[in-house]
């Protein structure tokens, strides 16, 4: 058996998946240290580490590392992980690599919810904005289900409906922007680009709280998710509560994407690319949630660092960066599916 | 004796009944074949027997209890299924696929036990897949793939195994390979087997009990010799046929009496 037993509970996992997970974790740690230490201000390695864990090193390290770099890097990691897991669940449930929350209107719906909330509450609390994003994301997902339901769900119809809902949601967001006063609209617009700039410890807290609640629920249903990849009949025959598990997992996926959107604004392509890449690297059978999360975090952190290291005139938000890198992958997917491969 | 039976079960999709009030008994420790023309409801009946469909009226009963009142995991420890079109996750190996048959026996924090490993190895052995256990399922031949799925259902280690058209899409040698395997499993491990099959001669040769369906009703049920008579075959399948003893096994063999070159 190419599997491994770990610890007293004997959690079985695919051996290669485990090794890949460890490597990704190592890469992520290295990237985190890089993100804390490297920047325009030279704080020094030891001072950066100290400041990051809350030991005062005086000005300017306390502020630059403790209040800027550390929350930004952690927010990036958490959001990347959330997007990776969210996409992995959707792609597994629909058995389609095109299904990801940014592509099928869920992130757009969350964006509308968040912008509406910012407008109505004058953008005071990130927690409230996140709740608004969750409502928006769930509404988009619900509409998608209702509109694509014809005695059951066909994944392709669901995805196309989702793309349509995404456009409607974006229109609604644009309209809301025109109703806001100039200052609010300005900050909402900056948020809508998808950026980790200006992330605070509140952003870290929101992302970590959502992840801490949802991840155990998701891992609890991970086996159901894997089993459902063999078809509903097989899964039911193996004793899986197919409809219940699917509903719980879908809601978790939507909430993760919505919370990620609330924290950084819509960031594209991570949820699309990370899970597919994770499956490719682990070569495991079917969905791999933890590697997808780690890879999502690695990819977003790389993208964020790369966009920061650009010369000032070329710097752009990470959301644009992921789009520039992710779009070719999407084109490749479409190109491959039009040549008779799996879409 | 039968652990699994239906009581006046009306089964269908949406509000469209396909099976209209049938009483079916699955004899324990025997092979049961469900036969009938296309659209007669045989797959629908099988799906209800493994609680993939809920009867609109009547019930499916397992060990004297309505199957839908038994926790789904408990049912999964008693009835295994080979569905008509199972999906193998991309890149999964034979052993990984077979291991998934252990799902109903696993617990959250203690998933893989020695009895799981034993069941998987024994399922691989019974299906002659031990040498192929590291092979990727997508790359197997049709017959090997079907054996891998049967091995998965075997690893589930259920006294009852239900198979929906296990021989369809296979060439003749693979068909008999699968049927011989089912026969062995029944003989040696005394598993109760229910299969939907199209080929009447195969049903007659391998099954102890035949359920012939037509228009959603049971037209005849009993031993192959009692079901495959010229009268019943012509009623169920709308063909004129002669029935002879199989020269190899002595079981009934159905020969249509129409076609080119025949003389009345």
């Amino acid at each position: 058996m190419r599997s491994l037993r770990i610890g007293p509970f004997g959690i079985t996992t695919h051996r290669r998946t485990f090794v890949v997970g460890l490597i990704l974790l190592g890469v992520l740690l290295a990237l985190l240290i890089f993100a804390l230490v490297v920047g325009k201000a030279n704080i020094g390695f030891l001072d950066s580490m100290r400041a990051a864990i809350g030991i005062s090193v005086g000005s300017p390290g306390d502020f630059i590392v403790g209040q800027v770099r550390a929350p930004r890097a952690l927010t990036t990691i958490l959001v990347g992980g959330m997007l990776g897991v969210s996409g992995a669940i959707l792609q597994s449930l629909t058995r389609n690599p095109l299904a990801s929350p940014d592509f099928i209107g869920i992130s757009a719906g969350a964006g509308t919810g968040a912008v509406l909330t910012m407008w109505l509450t004058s953008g005071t609390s990130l927690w409230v904005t996140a709740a608004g994003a969750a409502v928006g994301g769930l509404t988009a997902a619900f509409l998608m289900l209702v509109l694509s339901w014809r005695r059951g769900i066909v994944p392709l119809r669901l995805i196309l409906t989702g793309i349509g809902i995404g456009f409607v949601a974006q229109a609604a967001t644009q309209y809301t922007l025109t109703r806001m006063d100039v200052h609010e609209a300005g900050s909402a617009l900056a948020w809508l680009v998808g950026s980790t700039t200006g992330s605070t410890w509140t952003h870290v807290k929101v992302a970590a709280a959502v992840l801490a609640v949802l991840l155990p629920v998701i891992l609890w249903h991970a086996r159901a998710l894997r089993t459902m990849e063999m078809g509903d009949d097989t899964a039911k025959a193996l004793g899986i509560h197919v409809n219940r598990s699917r509903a719980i997992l879908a809601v978790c996926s939507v909430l993760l994407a919505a919370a990620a959107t609330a924290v950084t604004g819509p960031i594209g392509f991570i949820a699309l690319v990370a899970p597919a890449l994770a499956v490719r690297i682990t070569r495991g059978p079917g969905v791999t949630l933890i590697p997808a999360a780690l890879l999502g975090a690695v990819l977003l952190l790389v993208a964020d660092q790369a966009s920061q290291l650009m010369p000032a005139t070329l710097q752009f938000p990470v959301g644009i960066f992921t789009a520039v890198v992710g779009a070719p992958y999407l084109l490749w997917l479409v190109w491959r599916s039009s040549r008779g491969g799996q879409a | 004796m039968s652990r699994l039976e239906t009581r006046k079960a009306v089964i269908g999709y949406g509000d469209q009944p396909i099976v209209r009030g049938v009483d079916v008994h699955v004899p324990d420790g025997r092979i049961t074949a469900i036969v009938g023309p296309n659209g007669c409801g045989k797959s629908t009946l099988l799906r209800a027997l493994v609680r993939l469909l809920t009867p609109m009226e009547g019930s499916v009963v397992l060990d004297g209890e309505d199957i839908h009142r038994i926790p789904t995991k408990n049912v999964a420890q008693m009835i295994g299924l080979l569905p008509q079109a199972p999906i193998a996750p991309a890149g999964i190996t034979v052993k990984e696929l077979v291991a998934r048959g252990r799902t109903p026996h696993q617990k959250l924090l203690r998933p893989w036990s020695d009895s799981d490993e034993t069941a998987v190895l024994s399922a691989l052995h019974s299906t002659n897949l031990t040498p192929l256990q590291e092979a990727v399922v997508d790359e197997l031949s049709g017959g090997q793939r079907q054996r891998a799925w049967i091995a998965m259902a075997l690893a589930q280690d259920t006294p009852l195994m239900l198979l929906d058209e296990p021989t369809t899409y296979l060439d003749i040698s693979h068909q008999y390979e699968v049927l011989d395997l089912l026969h062995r499993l029944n003989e040696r491990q005394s598993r109760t087997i229910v299969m939907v099959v199209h080929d009447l001669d195969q049903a007659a040769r391998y099954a102890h009990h035949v359920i012939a369906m037509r228009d959603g009703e049971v037209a005849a049920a009993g031993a192959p010799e009692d079901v495959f008579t010229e009268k019943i075959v012509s009623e169920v399948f709308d063909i004129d046929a002669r029935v002879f003893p199989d020269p190899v096994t002595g079981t009934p063999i159905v020969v249509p009496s129409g076609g080119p070159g025949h003389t009345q």
Side-chain angles (χ1 to χ4, degrees):
Chain A
M1 185 89 183
R2 295 187 309 175
S3 67
L4 203 64
R5 288 196 210 181
I6 307 157
F9 298 119
I11 293 169
T12 313
T13 186
H14 193 255
R15 186 181 297 155
R16 188 181 164 99
T17 305
F18 182 72
V19 173
V20 167
L22 278 185
I23 293 172
L24 284 173
L25 202 59
V27 171
L28 192 56
L29 262 171
L31 280 168
L32 174 62
I33 292 170
F34 181 86
L36 292 174
V37 174
V38 179
K40 302 229 159 53
N42 191 359
I43 310 294
F45 181 82
L46 281 178
D47 277 0
S48 296
M49 293 294 106
R50 283 197 202 107
I53 56 170
I55 301 168
S56 179
V57 294
S59 187
D62 281 355
F63 181 73
I64 290 180
V65 177
Q67 299 303 319
V68 178
R69 288 184 194 164
R72 177 173 183 164
L74 289 176
T75 302
T76 307
I77 287 172
L78 292 170
V79 166
M82 290 157 96
L83 291 173
V85 174
S86 174
I89 293 173
L90 279 185
Q91 291 176 8
S92 172
L93 284 179
T94 59
R95 294 185 206 105
N96 193 313
L98 287 177
S100 81
D102 49 319
F103 200 59
I104 61 172
I106 289 170
S107 301
T112 308
V115 170
L116 268 174
T117 312
M118 289 176 192
W119 178 44
L120 294 173
T121 66
S122 305
T124 41
S125 160
L126 184 62
W127 295 94
V128 177
T129 308
V135 171
L138 287 173
T139 307
F142 177 74
L143 284 176
M144 188 166 67
L145 278 182
V146 170
L147 293 176
S148 60
W149 185 278
R150 304 259 185 291
R151 294 157 149 236
I153 291 289
V154 177
L156 191 61
R157 193 166 57 222
L158 188 80
I159 289 166
L160 292 175
T161 310
I163 293 171
I165 288 171
F167 284 123
V168 175
Q170 273 167 21
T173 305
Q174 302 284 344
Y175 178 75
T176 310
L177 285 175
T178 65
R179 309 301 297 172
M180 294 168 112
D181 86 57
V182 180
H183 285 293
E184 284 173 1
S187 64
L189 207 52
W191 171 85
L192 271 173
V193 175
S195 169
T196 49
T197 316
S199 295
T200 63
W201 285 106
T202 309
H203 292 82
V204 177
K205 277 182 204 153
V206 171
V210 171
L211 211 50
V213 172
L214 294 180
L215 203 55
V217 178
I218 290 165
L219 293 178
W220 188 280
H221 289 88
R223 185 182 294 143
L225 186 63
R226 272 199 306 276
T227 311
M228 286 190 287
E229 287 186 346
M230 300 196 287
D232 286 7
D233 285 1
T234 312
K236 276 186 203 163
L238 289 172
I240 302 292
H241 290 278
V242 169
N243 290 331
R244 193 174 73 190
S245 295
R246 183 159 36 218
I248 291 171
L249 285 162
V251 167
C252 285
S253 168
V254 169
L255 290 179
L256 279 181
T261 305
V263 170
T264 58
I267 289 177
F269 294 98
I270 296 293
L272 182 77
V273 177
L277 212 55
V279 168
R280 225 157 262 253
I281 297 175
T282 57
R283 286 199 223 125
V287 60
T288 49
L289 293 171
I290 299 293
L294 291 171
L295 205 54
V298 166
L299 289 177
L300 195 56
L301 196 52
V302 168
D304 194 43
Q305 287 303 306
S307 65
Q308 281 187 63
L309 292 174
M310 292 278 192
T313 47
L314 281 175
Q315 275 194 10
F316 39 70
V318 67
I320 292 177
F321 196 89
T322 59
V324 170
V325 181
Y329 170 74
L330 180 64
L331 291 175
W332 177 77
L333 260 190
V334 173
W335 175 79
R336 198 179 59 140
S337 67
S338 69
R339 284 170 52 100
Q342 266 187 309
Chain B
M1 279 300 290
S2 62
R3 298 181 63 181
L4 184 62
E5 53 192 49
T6 66
R7 292 187 187 153
K8 303 251 176 313
V10 178
I11 313 153
Y13 296 91
D15 51 4
Q16 199 73 23
I18 294 171
V19 172
R20 303 154 199 277
V22 297
D23 287 292
V24 168
H25 304 268
V26 174
D28 290 344
R30 312 247 107 187
I31 297 182
T32 299
I34 307 176
V35 299
N38 290 336
C40 70
K42 49 190 191 301
S43 282
T44 308
L45 173 63
L46 191 90
R47 288 170 61 81
L49 284 174
V50 41
R51 52 92 176 81
L52 294 182
L53 291 173
T54 312
M56 301 150 79
E57 290 168 35
S59 58
V60 174
V61 174
L62 174 65
D63 294 331
E65 201 179 342
D66 186 326
I67 199 167
H68 289 277
R69 291 175 175 276
I70 306 174
T72 185
K73 205 165 172 175
N74 295 11
V75 177
Q77 291 173 2
M78 290 187 271
I79 308 179
L81 171 74
L82 175 68
Q84 216 175 90
I87 303 161
I92 197 170
T93 65
V94 171
K95 191 172 179 190
E96 285 163 348
L97 183 78
V98 175
R100 295 205 173 177
R102 300 301 296 166
T103 306
H105 300 277
Q106 289 171 342
K107 296 187 180 68
L108 190 74
L109 288 177
R110 200 191 51 79
W112 199 253
S113 67
D114 290 338
S115 64
D116 291 329
E117 186 73 12
T118 312
V120 168
L121 293 179
S122 137
L124 287 167
H125 179 74
S126 308
T127 49
N128 294 328
L129 284 169
T130 309
L132 284 173
Q133 56 178 304
E134 297 298 333
V136 173
V137 173
D138 304 328
E139 292 163 8
L140 300 179
S141 76
Q144 291 168 335
R145 203 174 307 147
Q146 194 69 321
R147 264 165 36 209
W149 282 105
I150 293 174
M152 190 201 79
L154 271 183
Q156 201 175 335
D157 204 16
T158 54
L160 288 124
M161 275 183 73
L162 275 57
L163 303 98
D164 198 355
E165 303 199 15
T167 54
T168 308
Y169 309 121
L170 297 180
D171 64 38
I172 188 158
S173 78
H174 287 132
Q175 287 183 18
Y176 280 96
E177 185 184 300
V178 165
L179 290 165
D180 284 334
L181 167 64
L182 296 176
H183 173 72
R184 274 204 311 277
L185 294 172
N186 169 253
E187 288 261 295
R188 292 186 195 164
Q189 306 177 5
S190 62
R191 300 212 198 212
T192 306
I193 288 173
V194 183
M195 56 183 183
V196 170
V197 281
H198 276 297
D199 190 301
L200 302 185
D201 306 332
Q202 290 175 350
R205 188 182 275 205
Y206 286 92
H208 308 100
H209 185 76
V210 176
I211 298 167
M213 294 188 66
R214 190 193 155 102
D215 295 336
E217 283 169 12
V218 174
E225 309 85 78
D226 300 330
V227 172
F228 293 123
T229 64
E230 292 176 5
K231 181 165 173 293
I232 293 177
V233 168
S234 73
E235 277 171 17
V236 170
F237 289 94
D238 272 330
I239 52 162
D240 285 328
R242 307 277 308 277
V243 174
F244 300 97
D246 188 320
V248 179
T249 57
T251 51
I253 186 163
V254 176
V255 180
S257 51
H262 92 289
T263 47
Q264 284 287 336

